[in-house]
Amino acid sequence: MVRVFKCSFCSKDMPVGSGMMFVKNDGTILRFCSSKCRKNMLELKRVPRRFKWSAKVPSK
C-alpha cells in the first residue's frame, strides 16, 4: 500500500517522493505539494480557508 500525504496548505493528495517537507523548530512537520503552497503559508503568512483554490474552505 502506498502512503499518501496531504498538503498542509491546500489539502491536495500527494504520493510519497513528491512535494516538499518543512520541519519547524518545535518539531511540527509541514508538507507542501508545490512552491505556491509553501510560499503562501510560510513567506506570505496566508490562511488557507480564504482561498477558493484550497480545499480547506469552511463548511456552512
Side-chain angles (χ1 to χ4, degrees), residues 1-5 14-17:
M1 179 170 213
V2 178
R3 274 185 92 170
V4 177
F5 295 110
M14 39 181 206
V16 175

Side-chain angles (χ1 to χ4, degrees), residues 31-48:
R31 297 180 188 271
F32 300 105
C33 62
S34 63
S35 60
K36 176 183 177 181
C37 291
R38 181 181 54 82
K39 288 175 187 175
N40 273 289
M41 188 168 212
L42 299 177
E43 293 177 20
L44 302 174
K45 309 225 187 293
R46 291 183 173 160
V47 181

Side-chain angles (χ1 to χ4, degrees), residues 9-20:
F9 190 80
C10 69
S11 297
K12 180 180 170 186
D13 290 336
M14 39 181 206
V16 175
S18 65
M20 292 169 259

